[in-house]
């Protein structure tokens, strides 16, 4: 799907909008959430646009395991790998997804209650 005009996360992935980047590869980028809901709140996104219908290409599918490896690396660096964290993706309207570009939230740094 490439980059979608007007998508804020595509613009972050392209470096057109500044963000607090904590991890990056050619396929994905991770940056701190602008409105953190826990002491550690980081978003991991594929650089390629994936919409809320999960219209995944083969390239997108190959990026998904790397997102989990990135989460492992990031949480270790942030000191929450052992303590535990939440790794979640809101997908589609009923989930409350606000940004229509697939993203995984890493939430941690405090005891997280039930959802
Ligand atoms: P969701 O509700 O799952 O779509 O989450 C979208 C998240 O993106 C929210 O937690 C927002 O605070 C976050 N967000 C929106 N714009 C930015 C931005 N420019 N930089 C960092 N995080 C953002």
């Amino acid at each position: 799907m490439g980059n979608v005009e007007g998508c804020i996360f595509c613009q972050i992935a392209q470096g057109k909008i500044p963000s607090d980047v904590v991890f990056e590869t050619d396929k994905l980028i991770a940056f701190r959430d602008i409105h953190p809901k826990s002491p550690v709140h980081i978003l991991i996104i594929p650089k390629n646009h994936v919409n809320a219908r999960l219209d995944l290409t083969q390239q997108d599918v190959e990026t998904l395991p790397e997102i989990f490896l990135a989460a492992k690396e990031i949480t270790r660096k942030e000191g929450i790998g052992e303590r535990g964290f939440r790794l979640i993706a809101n997908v589609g309207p009923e989930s409350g997804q606000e940004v229509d570009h697939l993203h995984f939230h890493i939430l941690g740094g405090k005891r997280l209650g039930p959802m």
Side-chain angles (χ1 to χ4, degrees):
M1 192 174 249
N3 294 300
V4 165
E5 191 81 24
C7 171
I8 191 163
F9 284 1
C10 283
Q11 289 172 284
I12 286 175
Q14 293 173 292
K16 291 181 177 168
I17 289 181
S19 65
D20 188 353
V21 176
V22 297
F23 189 88
E24 184 170 11
T25 69
D26 57 334
K27 294 195 181 72
L28 61 85
I29 188 165
F31 52 92
R32 293 191 194 279
D33 196 291
I34 204 163
H35 298 302
K37 287 151 196 90
S38 55
V40 178
H41 188 173
I42 290 166
L43 303 173
I44 311 177
I45 68 167
K47 287 185 173 176
N48 193 46
H49 188 87
V50 175
N51 63 25
R53 294 182 306 280
L54 296 182
D55 291 327
L56 297 158
T57 64
Q58 186 57 37
Q59 183 199 334
D60 298 322
V61 171
E62 286 165 17
T63 304
L64 293 177
E66 295 193 23
I67 286 177
F68 286 86
L69 285 173
K72 179 183 173 185
E73 182 66 17
I74 292 163
T75 53
R76 189 188 59 76
K77 277 194 201 151
E78 295 287 325
I80 58 170
E82 298 290 328
R83 292 171 63 188
F85 54 91
R86 195 165 276 155
L87 180 63
I88 58 158
N90 295 316
V91 182
E94 291 197 349
S95 74
Q97 184 178 7
E98 290 171 6
V99 179
D100 184 15
H101 180 131
L102 181 64
H103 52 281
F104 291 82
H105 296 255
I106 294 174
L107 293 152
K110 69 173 185 182
R111 183 166 290 276
L112 300 164
M115 297 244 331

